[in-house]
Amino acid sequence: MSSKVIKNGTVVTADLTYKADVKIEGDVIVEIGPNLSGDETLDATGCYIMPGGIDPHTHLEMPFMGTYSADDFESGTRAGLAGGTTMVVDFCLPSPGQSLLEALQMWDNKSGKASADYSFHMAITWWDEQVWREMDDVVKRGITSFKHFLAYKGALMVNDDELFASFGRCAELGALPLVHAENGDVVAAMTAKLLAEGNNGPEAHAYSRPPEVEGEATNRAIMIADMAGVPLYVVHVSSEQAHEAIRRARQKGMRVYGEPLVQHLTLDDSEYANPDWDHAARRVMSPPFRNKMHQDSLWAGLQSGSLSVVATDHCAFTTEQKRNGIGDFSKIPNGTGGLEDRLAVLWSRGVNTGRLTMNEFVAVTSTNIAKILNLYPKKGAVLVGADADLIVWDPARKKTVSAATQQSAIDYNVFEGFELTGLPRFVLTRGKVAVIENEMHHEPGHGKFVGREAKNPVNRALSQWKELVAPRKVERSGIPASGV
Ligand SMILES: NC(=O)NCCC(=O)O
Ligand SMILES: [Zn+2]
Ligand SMILES: [Zn+2]
């Protein structure tokens, strides 16, 4: 088997920084140490060798709000690789009433053209005994996380009784529930009021979803997860209110993971005041962008560990698709891109500013995600035996973000004009060099589905504790006769 050696670089992992060469044979890392040699050499002089990015939250070719997100598994994974993301975890989204297994078949069909590895979360968009039963089959197929929407009333939203039942089922199966935490009832009422008052522009999308809507739903989901005895992963945490609920829960020992997006960390709500309708509509997503106070809170969460990972929620729509909402902001397809730029934007705004260390950067873009989703150390690690999903990161390489040069299929970029320092020199997906600076050498179909085991250590510990403190009937003798 031919080998490759990445030479002269510095290995940066979630906990260590050290000089070493990394040798790869086939799909995996076979040796790490000084003076290694192999059939092919990749020069990493001046660079950091890091685990490839994992984006735990993407929506590729997803049917949503009357259309399909524009990046599919081909363009989406290509965009990811260009920026150093070597794995995505996408959402399989059954339409309400649809069998989970049937939806999974549809997602399997779409993902064949992926150039990088991928896994799936399953969304619970409706509830009955069939869903309860099929969740077990889904787990047996290696999909061990289930997403619940508390928003999108009348479409994807589930109620509290359904949430509690599904969380309980996750606990039984050793699976991880995820939650989109916004109070869908309140959003629907505020949306109707804003529209009735003539507030129909994209800026009203943000008014319809204030931080309180997110704080309430986050707290509710956390409490319900605690009662069900499962850990909880809160997607796209955008506000101090949601972060506060997560922080408080974690201080009490609850296993709650918060996922801010790179967009919420670096773009704020002034975008919605732009006089250009297209500019504002392109940035409509849920939750919406917030002000600087919320951004500071999210950065602080990553620094202190109360927030665990950084994702993109990549759900890209073209300008044409966004224009479905002219005259009614509630019809603008919700979602933004970010997959291609997540690492470089987070590095430039996080590591280059001193907000994050390099090791924290690796933790929140890769290793923590792999651990929470039970992919570690196959993914998220620079270790012998791990998949050779690697980035050779050049901290001196620069670019200005521009839609004109991006891989993503859409016609704009929400980070347009960002000056970035720190970009990949090489990106490897299971040992294959897919990117050399601006050149793409990816191969559609190279990406493989990565199944995940249920019952990770946190699930096991929680079930053990729940069993220990389960309600038990007190057996009594000599009970007085009733009515005496
Ligand atoms: N976030 C968003 O606006 N669109 C994607 C779907 C979702 O995650 O809610
Ligand atoms: Zn969501
Ligand atoms: Zn999403």
Side-chain angles (χ1 to χ4, degrees):
M1 194 180 294
S2 75
S3 60
K4 294 184 184 73
V5 177
I6 306 175
K7 284 194 80 68
N8 311 317
T10 300
V11 175
V12 178
T13 69
D15 50 8
L16 291 173
T17 304
Y18 59 100
K19 282 270 195 204
D21 299 340
V22 177
K23 183 167 177 174
I24 298 153
E25 276 177 12
D27 288 1
V28 296
I29 298 170
V30 292
E31 207 176 340
I32 302 169
N35 307 319
L36 302 182
S37 56
D39 302 321
E40 193 185 329
T41 300
L42 302 175
D43 182 31
T45 303
C47 291
Y48 303 120
I49 305 164
M50 306 190 289
I54 303 171
D55 193 331
H57 188 160
T58 66
H59 301 281
L60 301 176
E61 203 183 339
M62 182 178 80
F64 191 48
M65 297 184 73
T67 184
Y68 278 81
S69 56
D71 275 317
D72 60 11
F73 279 85
E74 192 283 312
S75 63
T77 54
R78 171 160 46 88
L81 284 171
T85 289
T86 53
M87 180 168 179
V88 299
V89 190
D90 202 77
F91 287 84
C92 175
L93 191 82
S95 35
Q98 188 184 24
S99 146
L100 307 191
L101 301 177
E102 193 183 293
L104 198 49
Q105 185 59 55
M106 289 166 64
W107 258 257
D108 278 343
N109 296 344
K110 296 190 230 205
S111 56
K113 52 197 174 184
S115 299
D117 286 359
Y118 57 92
S119 192
F120 296 130
H121 308 287
M122 175 60 70
I124 299 296
T125 54
W126 62 293
W127 188 253
D128 79 353
E129 210 186 307
Q130 182 188 341
V131 176
W132 179 90
R133 206 176 40 249
E134 287 186 347
M135 284 172 79
D136 185 32
D137 300 314
V138 168
V139 165
K140 287 188 177 125
R141 292 193 194 187
I143 297 155
T144 55
S145 41
F146 292 89
K147 160 110 174 254
H148 305 76
F149 293 90
L150 301 186
Y152 307 126
K153 185 175 179 177
L156 304 171
M157 181 171 124
V158 290
N159 298 321
D160 289 354
D161 55 344
E162 297 166 329
L163 195 70
F164 185 55
S166 180
F167 281 11
R169 184 63 169 151
C170 287
E172 279 167 16
L173 297 172
L176 174 68
L178 277 59
V179 66
H180 170 139
E182 289 182 300
N183 185 316
D185 287 315
V186 174
V187 170
M190 287 184 138
T191 301
K193 184 166 183 291
L194 285 156
L195 287 172
E197 290 165 356
N199 245 318
N200 62 8
E203 63 286 359
H205 172 79
Y207 296 136
S208 73
R209 316 176 95 97
E212 290 68 27
V213 151
E214 193 187 354
E216 182 281 325
T218 304
N219 193 55
R220 177 159 40 103
I222 288 170
M223 296 305 153
I224 290 176
D226 190 54
M227 289 182 276
V230 266
L232 180 68
Y233 181 113
V234 185
V235 301
H236 47 50
V237 175
S238 73
S239 64
E240 159 58 14
Q241 282 83 338
H243 178 201
E244 188 209 1
I246 294 168
R247 224 166 40 226
R248 205 170 48 233
R250 287 174 66 92
Q251 274 171 352
K252 288 185 175 162
M254 297 176 189
R255 310 296 186 145
V256 182
Y257 310 109
E259 170 210 82
L261 307 182
V262 68
Q263 297 93 315
H264 287 121
L265 286 160
T266 60
L267 296 164
D268 66 57
D269 56 1
S270 64
E271 303 280 355
Y272 300 120
N274 195 295
D276 177 6
W277 190 96
D278 285 336
H279 180 102
R282 288 162 175 161
R283 285 145 182 91
V284 163
M285 67 171 303
S286 297
F289 299 161
R290 308 290 193 194
N291 67 27
K292 302 264 183 239
M293 182 275 285
H294 295 288
Q295 292 185 324
D296 286 344
S297 166
L298 301 182
W299 282 109
L302 293 174
Q303 289 156 348
S304 65
S306 52
L307 298 175
S308 305
V309 306
V310 176
T312 61
D313 191 6
H314 186 94
C315 189
F317 295 101
T318 63
T319 305
E320 204 52 40
Q321 290 174 301
K322 290 280 184 179
R323 287 183 181 167
N324 288 346
I326 292 177
D328 179 351
F329 71 84
S330 71
K331 295 196 167 55
I332 302 171
N334 285 201
T336 61
L339 189 42
E340 193 162 345
D341 303 303
R342 176 181 64 134
L343 298 184
V345 170
L346 194 73
W347 183 276
S348 282
R349 298 293 175 97
V351 178
N352 290 347
T353 58
R355 277 175 154 142
L356 297 178
T357 68
M358 294 195 293
N359 310 92
E360 286 164 347
F361 172 87
V362 171
V364 300
T365 57
S366 184
T367 306
N368 289 356
I369 299 162
K371 287 181 179 170
I372 293 167
L373 297 181
N374 222 7
L375 291 161
Y376 190 82
K378 178 179 171 63
K379 302 290 186 189
V382 182
L383 286 174
V384 171
D387 280 359
D389 280 5
L390 295 166
I391 331 175
V392 176
W393 189 260
D394 182 346
R397 257 193 92 212
K398 290 179 190 291
K399 83 165 183 184
T400 306
V401 176
S402 163
T405 53
Q406 73 188 6
Q407 299 293 330
S408 167
I410 61 170
D411 56 317
Y412 61 93
N413 188 313
V414 293
F415 302 114
E416 186 77 28
F418 270 39
E419 306 276 354
L420 304 178
T421 305
L423 291 166
R425 179 179 294 178
F426 301 109
V427 181
L428 288 85
T429 152
R430 275 186 292 103
K432 179 186 165 38
V433 179
V435 179
I436 306 173
E437 297 201 336
N438 293 329
E439 285 170 27
M440 296 303 298
H441 297 264
H442 65 291
E443 194 185 301
H446 168 84
K448 283 190 187 157
F449 171 74
V450 183
R452 295 176 282 126
E453 295 266 319
K455 300 194 170 89
N456 79 7
V458 170
N459 283 85
R460 283 202 300 271
L462 269 177
S463 306
Q464 214 173 335
W465 178 251
K466 215 64 197 168
E467 173 55 25
L468 210 65
V469 300
R472 285 191 175 77
K473 184 174 163 65
V474 177
E475 298 300 342
R476 297 185 173 88
S477 56
I479 304 170
S482 64
V484 176

